Amino acid sequence: MRSSGVAGRGPAAVRRRLVKELGAFGVVGFACFVLDVGLFQVLYAHLGTGAVTAKLLSTLVSMSVAFVAHRYWSFSHRAHTGVRREYLVFAMVNGLTLLLSLGVVAAVRYPLGQTEPLVLQVANIGSIAVGTVIRFLSYRRWVFLAPDHPAAVPTPAATPTRR
């Protein structure tokens, strides 16, 4: 038998939550993409920072901004399992996608010998696109858990009081 949507568990409720997550993820992702690309450009093209160092710094800044925005907006309706655990897993996911991005930028810069900012920026943007898909799926699976996940930390309102 099909669920009627009671308690927000029906197909329509699931779709609404997914649309909310994707929409908010897209807005946060776009803002952090602009921050990442802009900071990379400033560091590499204008301040003379090495390409890989510029990519590392731009990613670390945009990652920290993204965590706060995703935790308190994009995935705010999901279970809270503690900021420490969530940030650690978030950082691990972002660390893996950062390694992917660094590898792409380094491969274009060094073995291919490219030094033009535009070429490196295209490599940077391509690595961000692949990393975005990996991050969305990973955040939903491992960072911001489903609301009924057993690892969820009870909120003060849900914790029974002892007398």
mmCIF file of all heavy atoms in Angstrom, residues 1 13 17 28 31-32 43 49 55-56 72 85 101 110 120 136 141 144 156 163:
data_model
loop_
_atom_site.group_PDB
_atom_site.id
_atom_site.type_symbol
_atom_site.label_atom_id
_atom_site.label_comp_id
_atom_site.label_asym_id
_atom_site.label_seq_id
_atom_site.Cartn_x
_atom_site.Cartn_y
_atom_site.Cartn_z
ATOM 1 N N MET A 1 0.832 -1.185 0.000
ATOM 2 C CA MET A 1 0.000 0.000 0.000
ATOM 3 C C MET A 1 0.873 1.242 0.000
ATOM 4 O O MET A 1 1.907 1.283 0.641
ATOM 5 C CB MET A 1 -0.911 -0.027 1.234
ATOM 6 C CG MET A 1 -1.864 1.126 1.277
ATOM 7 S SD MET A 1 -2.987 0.819 2.633
ATOM 8 C CE MET A 1 -4.191 2.004 2.236
ATOM 9 N N ALA A 13 6.236 14.293 -0.162
ATOM 10 C CA ALA A 13 7.079 14.906 0.876
ATOM 11 C C ALA A 13 8.559 14.638 0.598
ATOM 12 O O ALA A 13 9.398 15.522 0.778
ATOM 13 C CB ALA A 13 6.686 14.385 2.254
ATOM 14 N N ARG A 17 11.392 17.535 -0.104
ATOM 15 C CA ARG A 17 12.666 17.630 0.636
ATOM 16 C C ARG A 17 13.853 17.584 -0.315
ATOM 17 O O ARG A 17 14.815 18.332 -0.154
ATOM 18 C CB ARG A 17 12.763 16.531 1.688
ATOM 19 C CG ARG A 17 11.976 16.828 2.946
ATOM 20 C CD ARG A 17 12.305 15.879 4.077
ATOM 21 N NE ARG A 17 12.028 14.490 3.761
ATOM 22 C CZ ARG A 17 10.854 13.882 3.931
ATOM 23 N NH1 ARG A 17 9.843 14.555 4.422
ATOM 24 N NH2 ARG A 17 10.699 12.624 3.619
ATOM 25 N N VAL A 28 24.033 27.569 -2.416
ATOM 26 C CA VAL A 28 25.268 27.586 -1.627
ATOM 27 C C VAL A 28 26.445 27.221 -2.527
ATOM 28 O O VAL A 28 27.505 27.858 -2.484
ATOM 29 C CB VAL A 28 25.181 26.613 -0.429
ATOM 30 C CG1 VAL A 28 26.533 26.438 0.256
ATOM 31 C CG2 VAL A 28 24.136 27.101 0.570
ATOM 32 N N ALA A 31 27.381 30.162 -4.809
ATOM 33 C CA ALA A 31 28.071 31.218 -4.057
ATOM 34 C C ALA A 31 29.498 30.795 -3.716
ATOM 35 O O ALA A 31 30.448 31.575 -3.868
ATOM 36 C CB ALA A 31 27.294 31.562 -2.789
ATOM 37 N N CYS A 32 29.660 29.553 -3.286
ATOM 38 C CA CYS A 32 31.003 29.077 -2.939
ATOM 39 C C CYS A 32 31.853 28.841 -4.179
ATOM 40 O O CYS A 32 33.080 28.994 -4.134
ATOM 41 C CB CYS A 32 30.909 27.830 -2.062
ATOM 42 S SG CYS A 32 30.287 28.225 -0.408
ATOM 43 N N LEU A 43 44.549 34.977 -6.220
ATOM 44 C CA LEU A 43 45.788 34.412 -5.696
ATOM 45 C C LEU A 43 46.778 34.062 -6.812
ATOM 46 O O LEU A 43 47.963 34.397 -6.725
ATOM 47 C CB LEU A 43 45.494 33.171 -4.850
ATOM 48 C CG LEU A 43 44.775 33.417 -3.528
ATOM 49 C CD1 LEU A 43 44.306 32.104 -2.921
ATOM 50 C CD2 LEU A 43 45.669 34.172 -2.562
ATOM 51 N N THR A 49 50.692 33.674 -6.478
ATOM 52 C CA THR A 49 50.734 32.424 -5.715
ATOM 53 C C THR A 49 50.777 31.264 -6.698
ATOM 54 O O THR A 49 50.173 31.331 -7.766
ATOM 55 C CB THR A 49 49.467 32.311 -4.822
ATOM 56 O OG1 THR A 49 49.345 33.495 -4.050
ATOM 57 C CG2 THR A 49 49.520 31.107 -3.913
ATOM 58 N N LYS A 55 44.864 26.976 -5.442
ATOM 59 C CA LYS A 55 43.712 26.076 -5.432
ATOM 60 C C LYS A 55 43.439 25.561 -4.026
ATOM 61 O O LYS A 55 42.287 25.497 -3.586
ATOM 62 C CB LYS A 55 43.939 24.914 -6.399
ATOM 63 C CG LYS A 55 42.802 23.924 -6.443
ATOM 64 C CD LYS A 55 41.512 24.588 -6.870
ATOM 65 C CE LYS A 55 40.328 23.653 -6.679
ATOM 66 N NZ LYS A 55 39.066 24.384 -6.677
ATOM 67 N N LEU A 56 44.468 25.215 -3.298
ATOM 68 C CA LEU A 56 44.313 24.741 -1.925
ATOM 69 C C LEU A 56 43.661 25.809 -1.047
ATOM 70 O O LEU A 56 42.675 25.548 -0.354
ATOM 71 C CB LEU A 56 45.673 24.345 -1.345
ATOM 72 C CG LEU A 56 45.692 23.962 0.134
ATOM 73 C CD1 LEU A 56 44.889 22.690 0.366
ATOM 74 C CD2 LEU A 56 47.115 23.798 0.622
ATOM 75 N N TYR A 72 23.226 24.761 8.311
ATOM 76 C CA TYR A 72 22.157 25.589 8.859
ATOM 77 C C TYR A 72 21.088 25.997 7.843
ATOM 78 O O TYR A 72 20.128 26.654 8.203
ATOM 79 C CB TYR A 72 22.750 26.817 9.550
ATOM 80 C CG TYR A 72 23.575 26.398 10.747
ATOM 81 C CD1 TYR A 72 24.965 26.410 10.690
ATOM 82 C CD2 TYR A 72 22.956 25.939 11.907
ATOM 83 C CE1 TYR A 72 25.719 25.996 11.784
ATOM 84 C CE2 TYR A 72 23.706 25.521 12.996
ATOM 85 C CZ TYR A 72 25.082 25.555 12.927
ATOM 86 O OH TYR A 72 25.832 25.123 14.002
ATOM 87 N N ARG A 85 31.435 15.818 14.587
ATOM 88 C CA ARG A 85 31.363 14.669 13.685
ATOM 89 C C ARG A 85 31.043 15.123 12.270
ATOM 90 O O ARG A 85 31.677 14.705 11.309
ATOM 91 C CB ARG A 85 30.293 13.672 14.145
ATOM 92 C CG ARG A 85 30.328 12.364 13.306
ATOM 93 C CD ARG A 85 28.987 11.648 13.273
ATOM 94 N NE ARG A 85 28.004 12.305 12.443
ATOM 95 C CZ ARG A 85 27.919 12.174 11.110
ATOM 96 N NH1 ARG A 85 28.760 11.430 10.445
ATOM 97 N NH2 ARG A 85 26.979 12.814 10.433
ATOM 98 N N SER A 101 40.689 17.787 -7.291
ATOM 99 C CA SER A 101 40.903 19.094 -7.934
ATOM 100 C C SER A 101 42.378 19.438 -8.040
ATOM 101 O O SER A 101 42.839 19.927 -9.077
ATOM 102 C CB SER A 101 40.179 20.192 -7.152
ATOM 103 O OG SER A 101 38.795 20.068 -7.295
ATOM 104 N N TYR A 110 51.712 21.058 -14.631
ATOM 105 C CA TYR A 110 53.078 20.542 -14.702
ATOM 106 C C TYR A 110 53.332 19.571 -15.852
ATOM 107 O O TYR A 110 54.089 19.924 -16.765
ATOM 108 C CB TYR A 110 53.500 19.992 -13.337
ATOM 109 C CG TYR A 110 53.462 21.103 -12.302
ATOM 110 C CD1 TYR A 110 52.479 21.143 -11.323
ATOM 111 C CD2 TYR A 110 54.363 22.172 -12.367
ATOM 112 C CE1 TYR A 110 52.417 22.192 -10.408
ATOM 113 C CE2 TYR A 110 54.303 23.224 -11.460
ATOM 114 C CZ TYR A 110 53.334 23.222 -10.484
ATOM 115 O OH TYR A 110 53.271 24.266 -9.597
ATOM 116 N N LEU A 120 44.246 27.045 -16.826
ATOM 117 C CA LEU A 120 44.194 26.505 -15.473
ATOM 118 C C LEU A 120 42.823 26.716 -14.836
ATOM 119 O O LEU A 120 42.349 25.874 -14.067
ATOM 120 C CB LEU A 120 45.306 27.111 -14.618
ATOM 121 C CG LEU A 120 46.693 26.620 -15.007
ATOM 122 C CD1 LEU A 120 47.777 27.487 -14.400
ATOM 123 C CD2 LEU A 120 46.876 25.168 -14.605
ATOM 124 N N PHE A 136 27.503 16.364 -3.144
ATOM 125 C CA PHE A 136 26.064 16.303 -2.848
ATOM 126 C C PHE A 136 25.668 14.905 -2.382
ATOM 127 O O PHE A 136 24.999 14.741 -1.359
ATOM 128 C CB PHE A 136 25.215 16.710 -4.055
ATOM 129 C CG PHE A 136 23.738 16.643 -3.778
ATOM 130 C CD1 PHE A 136 23.123 17.613 -2.998
ATOM 131 C CD2 PHE A 136 22.974 15.605 -4.264
ATOM 132 C CE1 PHE A 136 21.764 17.553 -2.715
ATOM 133 C CE2 PHE A 136 21.609 15.536 -3.987
ATOM 134 C CZ PHE A 136 21.006 16.512 -3.211
ATOM 135 N N ARG A 141 24.528 11.176 2.255
ATOM 136 C CA ARG A 141 24.749 9.802 2.741
ATOM 137 C C ARG A 141 25.512 9.764 4.058
ATOM 138 O O ARG A 141 25.174 8.976 4.938
ATOM 139 C CB ARG A 141 25.505 9.021 1.658
ATOM 140 C CG ARG A 141 25.920 7.627 2.042
ATOM 141 C CD ARG A 141 24.717 6.694 2.078
ATOM 142 N NE ARG A 141 25.135 5.330 2.233
ATOM 143 C CZ ARG A 141 25.061 4.674 3.384
ATOM 144 N NH1 ARG A 141 24.611 5.245 4.463
ATOM 145 N NH2 ARG A 141 25.455 3.427 3.451
ATOM 146 N N PHE A 144 25.154 14.795 6.597
ATOM 147 C CA PHE A 144 23.884 15.257 7.148
ATOM 148 C C PHE A 144 22.882 14.116 6.984
ATOM 149 O O PHE A 144 22.267 13.970 5.938
ATOM 150 C CB PHE A 144 23.427 16.529 6.433
ATOM 151 C CG PHE A 144 24.475 17.607 6.452
ATOM 152 C CD1 PHE A 144 25.139 17.977 5.298
ATOM 153 C CD2 PHE A 144 24.815 18.241 7.639
ATOM 154 C CE1 PHE A 144 26.116 18.968 5.310
ATOM 155 C CE2 PHE A 144 25.798 19.230 7.666
ATOM 156 C CZ PHE A 144 26.442 19.593 6.504
ATOM 157 N N PRO A 156 17.159 19.155 22.658
ATOM 158 C CA PRO A 156 16.689 19.354 24.025
ATOM 159 C C PRO A 156 15.178 19.176 24.171
ATOM 160 O O PRO A 156 14.705 18.663 25.164
ATOM 161 C CB PRO A 156 17.108 20.791 24.338
ATOM 162 C CG PRO A 156 18.272 21.032 23.441
ATOM 163 C CD PRO A 156 17.983 20.231 22.193
ATOM 164 N N ARG A 163 12.874 13.936 36.992
ATOM 165 C CA ARG A 163 12.526 14.713 38.185
ATOM 166 C C ARG A 163 12.905 13.970 39.413
ATOM 167 O O ARG A 163 12.979 12.846 39.522
ATOM 168 C CB ARG A 163 11.039 15.012 38.200
ATOM 169 C CG ARG A 163 10.711 15.949 37.084
ATOM 170 C CD ARG A 163 9.270 16.293 37.146
ATOM 171 N NE ARG A 163 8.960 16.987 35.928
ATOM 172 C CZ ARG A 163 8.193 18.039 35.883
ATOM 173 N NH1 ARG A 163 7.672 18.527 36.946
ATOM 174 N NH2 ARG A 163 7.948 18.612 34.744
#
